[in-house]
């Protein structure tokens, strides 16, 4: 559900007058200002474990997958935008499933076929996905271009791109071919477990926010802050690409 489909107009017509915008933007700026792109980074300890592991190790890889998703703020920002105006669990489940299917396909496909794409480019695209979803929630496409993209197709497409992000990073650590497929599947299961845990927390917070009032008054602010964070993500990654070229 997007605000442009709500009686009374579009989020673009709603004026935000709350300092939460500055707070959220400040937090986003702190995240982007970190010296390392954490969204798809693997901790040094996990990196060493991956490089030294051989054979099937399901539980450790499930743990690392869940840990990655719980700390992947770019994924979480996108999911936050996806469910922002979804009220029925049926709709939430559909969109999250589309995202998970896309994420799973390219994670496995990318590693098994050794398709390597610059992590800076992939992460910049993921930042764009956050911008896109915020603009979609704001009703910008309908208002500015008199066209509404298919939100289900977009969610699946961005899921595919998000999966390439982690696949690219994993290839840098040269996982042993012994037990590769079971370990990758376990890692992906962990990613989806982490996604469900993070999504549950987001839904609980959103549920309280919607009930205590002020949701519609702050919806514009929240989506503009999310869009700003997406632009900052894009700028950070593109700068990294230029500096390391």
């Amino acid at each position: 559900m997007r605000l442009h489909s709500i009686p009374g107009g579009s989020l673009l017509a709603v004026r935000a007058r709350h300092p939460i915008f500055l707070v959220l933007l400040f937090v986003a700026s702190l995240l982007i200002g970190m010296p390392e792109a954490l969204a798809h980074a693997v901790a040094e300890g996990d990196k060493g474990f991956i490089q030294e592991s051989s054979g099937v190790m399901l539980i450790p890889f499930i743990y690392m997958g869940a840990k990655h998703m719980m700390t992947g703020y770019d994924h979480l920002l996108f999911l936050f935008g996806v469910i922002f105006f979804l009220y029925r669990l049926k709709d939430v489940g559909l969109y999250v499933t589309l995202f998970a299917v896309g994420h799973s396909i390219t994670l496995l496909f990318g590693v098994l076929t050794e398709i390597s794409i610059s992590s800076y480019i992939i992460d910049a695209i993921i930042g764009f996905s956050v911008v896109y979803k915020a603009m979609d929630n704001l009703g910008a496409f309908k208002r500015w271009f008199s066209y509404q993209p298919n939100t289900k197709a977009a969610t699946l497409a961005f899921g595919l791109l998000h999966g390439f992000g982690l696949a690219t990073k994993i290839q840098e650590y040269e996982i042993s071919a012994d037990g590769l497929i079971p370990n990758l599947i376990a890692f992906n299961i962990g990613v989806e477990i982490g996604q469900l845990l993070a999504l549950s927390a987001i839904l609980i917070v959103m549920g309280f926010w919607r009930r205590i009032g002020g949701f519609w008054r702050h919806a514009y602010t929240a989506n503009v802050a999310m869009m700003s964070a997406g632009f900052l993500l894009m700028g950070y990654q593109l700068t990294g690409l230029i500096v390391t070229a």
Side-chain angles (χ1 to χ4, degrees):
M1 182 179 182
R2 294 168 301 282
L3 196 84
H4 60 72
S5 64
I6 298 168
S10 166
L11 261 181
L12 292 173
V14 179
R15 298 180 63 187
R17 302 175 180 175
H18 198 278
I20 190 174
F21 170 76
L22 296 178
V23 174
L24 292 175
L25 191 55
F26 175 70
V27 171
S29 299
L30 286 179
L31 288 173
I32 307 308
M34 290 179 178
E36 184 178 357
L38 297 178
H40 291 292
V42 178
E44 286 300 317
D46 294 341
K47 175 182 176 180
F49 177 82
I50 290 173
Q51 291 175 328
E52 296 172 6
S53 295
S54 180
V56 177
M57 305 184 70
L58 301 182
I59 300 301
F61 275 89
I62 288 174
Y63 165 76
M64 286 190 291
K67 179 182 176 181
H68 164 76
M69 179 54 75
M70 294 295 289
T71 57
Y73 57 83
D74 55 350
H75 291 302
L76 300 183
L77 271 175
F78 181 74
L79 283 175
F80 174 71
V82 167
I83 69 169
F84 197 89
F85 288 125
L86 298 179
Y87 290 84
R88 297 185 302 177
L89 286 178
K90 177 182 177 181
D91 294 331
V92 172
L94 173 61
Y95 279 88
V96 171
T97 298
L98 288 171
F99 181 71
V101 167
H103 191 281
S104 301
I105 289 172
T106 47
L107 168 59
L108 298 172
F109 180 76
V111 175
L112 294 176
T113 59
E114 299 183 354
I115 294 179
S116 180
I117 303 173
S118 168
S119 59
Y120 288 111
I121 294 176
I122 286 293
D123 286 346
I125 293 173
I126 292 173
F128 172 73
S129 74
V130 176
V131 173
Y132 166 86
K133 193 56 205 171
M135 291 180 65
D136 187 39
N137 288 344
L138 290 166
F141 299 110
K142 190 72 172 179
R143 185 179 180 90
W144 294 343
F145 309 113
S146 298
Y147 171 74
Q148 176 56 48
N150 186 306
T151 54
K152 295 183 180 66
T155 301
L156 176 61
F158 282 123
L160 293 168
L161 292 169
H162 279 235
F164 267 124
L166 184 56
T168 298
K169 182 60 65 175
I170 286 178
Q171 289 180 68
E172 296 178 11
Y173 301 131
E174 301 178 355
I175 299 178
S176 171
D178 184 13
L180 175 61
I181 294 179
N183 287 338
L184 282 178
I185 292 174
F187 189 91
N188 192 63
I189 290 173
V191 167
E192 302 313 328
I193 290 174
Q195 177 173 283
L196 288 174
L197 292 174
L199 181 63
S200 297
I202 293 173
L203 287 172
I204 290 172
V205 172
M206 292 290 289
F208 278 111
W209 185 17
R210 288 164 178 165
R211 282 199 295 270
I212 63 176
F215 176 73
W216 292 111
R217 189 169 69 247
H218 301 151
Y220 172 91
T221 299
N223 278 278
V224 170
M226 183 171 68
M227 181 169 61
S228 301
F231 276 123
L232 287 169
L233 275 167
M234 291 173 62
Y236 181 82
Q237 298 299 336
L238 292 175
T239 299
L241 178 64
I242 294 171
V243 170
T244 58

